[in-house]
Every structure is written in C-alpha cells, then in structure tokens.
C-alpha cells in the first residue's frame, strides 16, 4: 500500500464550485505539505503544516484553504474554483528530525476547472 | 531571493548515451541540494541529495556534485536506459531553516529512446 495517498486522482469541475482534495499518510510523519505543479513552473508550495495545530501559508495560498484533521490527514480546499487553478496537485510529508529531511510525495491529483 | 534554474527540456537521448542535466542555484545561506524524479503518472521521488559543498550524491547510476564555487548541482549518468525516461527536478532547502520548505526548479523532461 502507498504511504501517501491522495483522493481523488482526477477531478473535473466548473468555475465557482467548491472542491476538496484529500491527503492521507501512513508514514507517521508530523509535517505535511500541499504543492501545485504547472508546466514550466515546477512545483510551488501552497500550504504546509508542522502538526495538527500548526498551519502556514506557502508562496501561493490565495484562493486555497487547508484543514489538518489529524496527524495523518491534510485536506486542501478551493472555495470557489477558477480556471487558473487547473493544475496537478501534490501532497507531501516529512518527519521533523534532522536538517534535510526527505519529503515523500503522493501520486498527485489532476484538477481541471472549466 | 532563493531560486533554482534548470536547463529546459525536453532532453532526448538514445539508450546508453551520457546524460547531463544542468542545475544552478541562488541562495542566501547554505542550502542542501536535491534531485527528485517524477515517473509518468506518479509523484516525485527523491533521487539523490548533497548537504554541503563538495559532497557527491549518487543513486541508481546517477550522480551530482555540490559545487559551491559555481553554485551548481548538475545531474549526470554515464549510460541512460529507457526506464530513466521521466521528469527531473532540482531543488534546494536552506540549511538551518525551520520550515523544511523545498524550492524547486521547473523540471527537465528526459526521453530515452531504444
């Protein structure tokens, strides 16, 4: 079984709809991240969380919100989706030990906003 | 600011050819450097890393050396295989930072032909 899972894997929605992307992990990590990937732009950080009570904005948080329901779950919401939020979204996790912790990525969610 | 610049792709090679993907960085402080690989339809996986100047990261026949004097971390492999076809991301993390945030390059698509 995958250590970091994302649901759904693919989603097509319409402008103005509310969308939630979910991430779960079985690695026991306390840190979780949401990124979006766009062609030619690489990955950009949306939000990150160091534990259940800690939520931080990344470089492109506008139009997004997150919820850390438990150590193992971190959800990303688009309150009112718009077409330029069409992208591939990745969840990642890492532990808190050391200074160069590896981040483990989920398989991604491909979101299309029409 | 902190940033990572990668050579643009796609890079198309024949099997057993030599591979170089260039990566340079700009950073305040002393970053750790990473190469991640994304196979088709999957999330990113850590390929190799280096945490200080002159370190060489290696894995699966790939190598990269942390060159502080040229602020570079070029990825090399002596003989590529079709199974190496993927997108490769160079990334940095600032040493001593509390966030463990990764800054990614834009990615380089490698296509290896039989």
């Amino acid at each position: 079984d995958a250590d970091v899972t994302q649901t759904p894997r693919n989603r097509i929605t319409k402008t103005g709809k509310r969308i939630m992307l979910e991430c779960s992990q079985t690695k026991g990590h306390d840190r979780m991240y949401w990124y979006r990937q766009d062609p030619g732009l690489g990955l950009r950080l949306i939000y990150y969380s160091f534990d259940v009570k800690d939520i931080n904005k990344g470089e492109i948080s506008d139009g997004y919100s997150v919820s850390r329901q438990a150590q193992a779950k971190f959800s990303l919401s688009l309150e009112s989706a718009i077409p330029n939020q069409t992208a591939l979204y990745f969840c990642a996790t890492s532990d808190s030990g050391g200074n160069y912790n590896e981040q483990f990525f989920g398989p991604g969610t491909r979101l299309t906003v029409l | 600011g902190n940033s990572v610049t990668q050579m643009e792709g796609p890079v198309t090679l024949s099997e057993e050819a030599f591979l170089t993907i260039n990566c340079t960085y700009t950073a305040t402080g002393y970053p750790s450097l990473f190469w991640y690989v994304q196979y088709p339809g999957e999330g990113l996986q850590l390929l190799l890393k280096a945490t200080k100047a002159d370190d060489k990261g290696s894995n699966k026949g790939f190598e990269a050396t942390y060159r502080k004097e040229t602020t570079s971390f070029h990825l090399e492999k002596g003989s590529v295989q079709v199974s190496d076809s993927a997108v490769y991301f160079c990334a940095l993390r600032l040493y001593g930072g509390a966030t463990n945030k990764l800054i990614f390059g834009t990615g380089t698509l490698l296509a290896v032909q039989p």
Side-chain angles (χ1 to χ4, degrees), chain B residues 35-87:
Chain B
W35 277 100
Y36 277 81
V37 58
Q38 183 181 26
Y39 297 105
E42 299 183 10
L44 280 71
Q45 305 172 24
L46 181 64
L47 180 60
L48 54 83
K49 66 184 180 186
T51 59
K52 61 183 186 297
D54 300 324
D55 270 2
K56 177 184 284 187
S58 61
N59 186 26
K60 300 181 180 179
F62 291 90
E63 294 183 339
T65 301
Y66 188 145
R67 301 287 188 198
K68 186 178 179 182
E69 63 276 13
T70 55
T71 62
S72 66
F73 192 55
H74 304 322
L75 183 67
E76 296 182 337
K77 186 174 185 182
S79 177
V80 293
Q81 305 300 312
V82 172
S83 59
D84 294 326
S85 298
V87 181

Side-chain angles (χ1 to χ4, degrees), chain B residues 5 21 23 35-36 40 48 53 65 73 90-94 97 107 110:
Chain B
T5 302
I21 300 178
C23 171
W35 277 100
Y36 277 81
L48 54 83
T65 301
F73 192 55
C90 186
L92 70 81
R93 179 191 178 280
L94 292 175
L110 170 65

Side-chain angles (χ1 to χ4, degrees), chain A residues 43-93:
Chain A
L43 275 76
R44 294 179 291 167
L45 184 64
I46 306 172
Y47 270 96
Y48 61 101
S49 169
F50 281 178
D51 63 40
V52 174
K53 297 180 180 179
D54 177 81
I55 301 291
N56 303 279
K57 293 182 178 180
E59 58 183 306
I60 54 163
S61 59
D62 288 348
Y64 302 94
S65 62
V66 291
S67 173
R68 185 81 183 267
Q69 301 95 323
Q71 187 196 34
K73 296 184 182 295
F74 191 38
S75 300
L76 176 71
S77 293
L78 289 67
E79 296 301 325
S80 180
I82 56 176
N84 74 4
Q85 292 177 313
T86 294
L88 189 54
Y89 289 84
F90 288 104
C91 175
T93 74

Side-chain angles (χ1 to χ4, degrees), chain A residues 8 11 17 29 55 78 93 100:
Chain A
R11 181 72 183 267
K17 294 292 187 180
H29 289 166
I55 301 291
L78 289 67
T93 74
Y100 31 82

